[in-house]
Amino acid sequence: RSFTAFTPTLRRLLSSASISPLEPSSSLAPIYSRSASALDTLRATGAIAGPLTLAEKVVYGHLHAPHTQSTPITRGATYLKLSPDRVAMQDATAQMATLQFISAGLPRTAVPTTIHCDHLIAAERGAN
């Protein structure tokens, strides 16, 4: 279902919702529209058919070039080239990735990046 098929109220809400309070100028509308367009393109080319799970809609909606996918996508067998809108990392792996990014000397990331740290424990004394 394309983005334009939503009710006007829902379209207005999605168009004005920001991705994050830290990024108030960002909007989800272009992301939803691009994903819906990609799914429509994949259905038109015959790469996907029938009902899709939510996970499949999210993944297929982020294909790098959906118009070039001419062969049917087979679950668990087809390799997909994806273009994510945001990268979310967690805990120690995020710290390692951040250190590698800093050591590479790049000024900014290619896509917005979020780091979730839910194990922020500060040790003041030894185990004894």
Side-chain angles (χ1 to χ4, degrees):
R1 188 164 123 161
S2 72
F3 180 71
T4 55
F6 290 112
T7 65
T9 304
L10 184 57
R11 268 201 319 267
R12 189 176 65 253
L13 287 172
L14 290 174
S15 299
S16 62
S18 66
I19 294 174
S20 162
L22 301 175
E23 301 174 54
S25 64
S26 61
S27 172
L28 295 173
I31 295 169
Y32 289 141
S33 179
R34 191 170 47 249
S35 291
S37 175
L39 292 173
D40 291 343
T41 300
L42 290 170
R43 287 189 195 285
T45 60
I48 57 173
L52 299 174
T53 65
L54 176 59
E56 287 172 324
K57 290 176 184 178
V58 171
V59 171
Y60 299 161
H62 287 85
L63 281 177
H64 179 66
H67 58 279
T68 63
Q69 185 69 39
S70 57
T71 59
I73 297 174
T74 306
R75 294 175 183 163
T78 305
Y79 286 93
L80 304 173
K81 185 175 181 182
L82 304 174
S83 296
D85 297 306
R86 173 173 294 277
V87 176
M89 299 183 287
Q90 184 178 1
D91 291 333
T93 53
Q95 293 171 11
M96 292 305 296
T98 302
L99 290 172
Q100 289 176 352
F101 182 79
I102 291 169
S103 67
L106 299 172
R108 59 182 303 140
T109 58
V111 295
T113 305
T114 305
I115 299 175
H116 300 276
C117 296
D118 56 357
H119 295 96
L120 297 176
I121 301 172
E124 294 181 25
R125 297 193 179 100
N128 296 333

